[in-house]
Amino acid sequence: MKKLSILISIFFTLIACNSDDDFLERPPTQVLTSEQAFSDPAQVLSILADLYSRQFTLYNLDNWQSMGDFNEAFYAQTQDLANQFHSNSTWPFEGINNFWSTWDYTYIRELNLFLERIKDASIKEDLKERFAAEARFLRAAYYFELVQLYGGVPIILESQTYDFNGDPSYLQVPRSSEAETYDFVIEEADELASILAADADTKARATKGAALAMKARAALYAASLAKYNNARTPSLSLSGNEVGISSAKAEEYYNKALSAATEIINGNAGSYALYQKNPSNLSENFAAIFYDKNANPEVIWALDYLIKYKTHYFTGANQPRFGAEEEEGGALNPTLNLVQEFELLDNTFAPLATVNGNGEPIYYENQEDIFANRDARLGGTVILPGSSFKSSPVDIWAGYQLSDGTIITGTDRGDQRILPGQSVEQQVVGFDGPVAGAVQNAQMGFYLRKYVDPAPGSGQRGIRSEVWNIRYRYAEILLIAAEAAFELGQPAKAAEYMNQVRARAGFTIPLSAADISFDRIVHERRVEFAFEGQYFMDLKRFRIAHEIFDGVTMDVNDLKSGIGKANKRSTMPWGLWPYKIYNPGSENHNKWIYKEFLSNQVTAADNWQLGNYYSKISDETLSSNPKLVKQPLQ
């Protein structure tokens, strides 16, 4: 019986093969050929959308850890992260958790393939030109990311195919020089600006404005590397100039940066402007730049998100804990190092006033009083004690201080204790913290505000946030113009550009030409672009990271001195804790005092090695391509 079944099976199989003997040669019905995919504009746009979606940016909202900016923030999500970031004095050359790494030539190959196939696409010529320009923009944008991290990299502008002859050497491309790589980005952006439309309403696709913004930033970075690498870190060089740019090229690059920025400022790329929808609340106005996607004139190019399709959990990770939509938040705590850099509205720098000239505590009626008369961007970047989020007051305070100086506090958020003279327990620490050593609370005394979405549900895992990740915005264009003008010996012009940004932040006394300095340039960018990914690149291109992170511990005097200086040391993250006075009968009863705080989790002082200025090219990559040159001082 078994033999009979086998024979019957063989018979029907032979019948099936005889009646359908060409089935192995049939084209698949669920896979489009290149010709089919590039014959329909909607299909081409879909392919392009995938390439947009995969664009790389070192700092992104999908990875909240990437937004920490060294000691501008304390990593409070888990004990392990706190140890990783605050118990080690040095960084790997590829960054903690490979944060400073990308080498995605697969992405470049796919962009090259797109550009090759779009040439033969059977769609309208104007669409072909636009799609091709957008792909070139994405390719230039990725090369820009690479050159910022690695210096010169192999520039490959056509798809490569291995022919299986056993010798891959023809696929191995050496690194271009750092200047050549920057030149490629700048020249591509320049040419694309003449192809792409001037459309300020388009934010998530390449436009003339986005191309000019990329050109301006790339030229500025190249200029500052040409100037400051040779002046401050001349040992960072390679014989083939894969690292290092001649100082003779600095002026040329600054001129290109200023020219591109001026085109945008003059309206040649569309109607971009500073976001100023809420002049009655300048802090909220600044915060809204990052979540208001309705006719936002400031945003030039952004990586966009949309509920139900593509969202991120940045808000859930960083929201204040009290009343949070999930039982988590507070992952990144802004530090006092950054908070005190927001200057007073009379254009002066000063630490937050915690004690008077005699070293005695200063008593504040309201929690927010200590932050009064400061740059409005502070409240738009940081959630301060006494402020609100999602219409709910945050509850940040560390405990009661008695008349003899004794502190009564708890070991968990919202803990209760019996106070002197009382018989019933009372709350002795904020529901938002700070609680030393406890994760996910305001361990530094602050929560992050920038990019934290106020929309209902944005902090829920089931909904998440659609806040966009801004790549270029108009305020940066103004500050690029200011910096380039300053470096070209035009301080009055620099002041004019910078004052526009500062007026939006509440400053009523314009800076003069004499006020503009290197320190001013660096400082303005630090507070305007905190937690936007600019700080890291600024420290690298100005070649000041090794001075800021010099490996020496910081005490309170170190913390409070040198505010506003470009190379102010910041080797350890400090916090600022509010305490409520408990002294019934005293005029200071229920008033607030503040104390600087250094967590016992901070056990190391950061020490930047010169080799950290360039990301490591992995050993695997170097061994697979012998033509690549290893980074200096690594």
Side-chain angles (χ1 to χ4, degrees), residues 13 52 157 200 216 259 342 375 458 465 549 565 577 580:
T13 301
Y52 268 111
L157 303 180
S259 172
F342 290 86
D375 186 332
S458 59
S465 173
F549 309 122
K565 298 294 184 185
W577 281 15
K580 189 180 288 188

Side-chain angles (χ1 to χ4, degrees), residues 227-295:
K227 177 171 182 177
Y228 294 109
N229 184 57
N230 294 290
R232 295 178 174 151
T233 54
S235 59
L236 283 168
S237 63
L238 290 171
S239 59
N241 295 319
E242 294 87 351
V243 163
I245 300 177
S246 167
S247 58
K249 291 179 70 70
E251 184 174 341
E252 173 192 337
Y253 283 132
Y254 281 126
N255 274 312
K256 288 182 178 179
L258 181 57
S259 172
T262 305
E263 276 208 64
I264 298 174
I265 293 168
N266 290 342
N268 296 335
S271 300
Y272 298 105
L274 292 174
Y275 182 96
Q276 303 193 75
K277 290 186 181 180
N278 189 357
S280 64
N281 186 339
L282 296 180
S283 290
E284 191 58 36
N285 181 75
F286 187 73
I289 295 170
F290 304 92
Y291 65 75
D292 182 1
K293 297 160 75 171
N294 181 28

Side-chain angles (χ1 to χ4, degrees), residues 70 73 108 125 166 188 209 216 361 397 405 414 435 442 509 560 568 581 601:
F70 303 97
I108 290 176
E125 287 301 316
E188 279 287 277
W397 55 292
V435 178
I509 307 171
K560 292 184 170 184
K568 172 178 168 47
I581 296 298
Q601 294 173 281

Side-chain angles (χ1 to χ4, degrees), residues 30 95 100 140 144 151 244 253 273 277 389 409 452 477 529 535 561 570 632:
Q30 296 182 349
W100 305 338
F144 188 18
Y253 283 132
K277 290 186 181 180
F389 179 68
T409 186
V452 178
I477 302 305
F529 303 126
Y535 182 62
S561 63
S570 184

Side-chain angles (χ1 to χ4, degrees), residues 231-499:
R232 295 178 174 151
T233 54
S235 59
L236 283 168
S237 63
L238 290 171
S239 59
N241 295 319
E242 294 87 351
V243 163
I245 300 177
S246 167
S247 58
K249 291 179 70 70
E251 184 174 341
E252 173 192 337
Y253 283 132
Y254 281 126
N255 274 312
K256 288 182 178 179
L258 181 57
S259 172
T262 305
E263 276 208 64
I264 298 174
I265 293 168
N266 290 342
N268 296 335
S271 300
Y272 298 105
L274 292 174
Y275 182 96
Q276 303 193 75
K277 290 186 181 180
N278 189 357
S280 64
N281 186 339
L282 296 180
S283 290
E284 191 58 36
N285 181 75
F286 187 73
I289 295 170
F290 304 92
Y291 65 75
D292 182 1
K293 297 160 75 171
N294 181 28
N296 187 325
E298 179 146 350
V299 175
I300 297 173
W301 184 43
L303 174 58
D304 208 356
Y305 295 82
L306 187 64
I307 292 293
K308 295 184 180 177
Y309 296 98
K310 181 175 181 171
T311 57
H312 57 77
Y313 197 58
F314 189 80
T315 297
N318 291 292
Q319 61 193 327
R321 288 300 307 278
F322 186 41
E325 292 170 324
E326 296 282 357
E327 266 305 302
E328 56 188 319
L332 286 176
N333 291 175
T335 62
L336 180 55
N337 307 42
L338 171 66
V339 168
Q340 66 179 3
E341 289 290 334
F342 290 86
E343 65 196 274
L344 294 163
L345 292 177
D346 61 1
N347 299 340
T348 62
F349 300 98
L352 277 298
T354 56
V355 295
N356 61 24
N358 297 322
E360 299 164 340
I362 296 176
Y363 298 92
Y364 291 98
E365 197 73 37
N366 304 296
Q367 270 192 302
E368 285 187 281
D369 290 350
I370 191 173
F371 308 105
N373 299 315
R374 286 193 179 252
D375 186 332
R377 289 172 290 192
L378 172 56
T381 305
V382 177
I383 295 177
L384 302 167
S387 64
S388 298
F389 179 68
K390 290 190 177 181
S391 302
S392 298
V394 293
D395 190 35
I396 302 173
W397 55 292
Y400 277 105
Q401 176 166 304
L402 308 184
S403 58
D404 63 357
T406 301
I407 298 295
I408 296 182
T409 186
T411 57
D412 198 1
R413 297 179 300 110
D415 262 359
Q416 296 184 340
R417 299 286 188 273
I418 294 177
L419 294 171
Q422 303 290 320
S423 58
V424 179
E425 288 189 336
Q426 297 185 32
Q427 181 188 345
V428 295
V429 64
F431 281 101
D432 279 309
V435 178
V439 299
Q440 298 190 37
N441 77 99
Q443 287 196 56
M444 295 295 103
F446 309 106
Y447 284 104
L448 183 61
R449 179 70 182 90
K450 185 177 283 187
Y451 276 126
V452 178
D453 187 355
S458 59
Q460 279 183 258
R461 288 191 174 274
I463 299 176
R464 313 199 336 156
S465 173
E466 63 178 9
V467 161
W468 51 16
N469 192 352
I470 299 174
R471 305 291 305 274
Y472 295 109
R473 62 186 177 95
Y474 187 70
E476 183 189 355
I477 302 305
L478 290 170
L479 293 186
I480 286 174
E483 181 181 336
F486 167 74
E487 296 286 3
L488 291 169
Q490 305 170 35
K493 184 65 76 175
E496 177 187 323
Y497 291 129
M498 189 182 291
N499 282 330

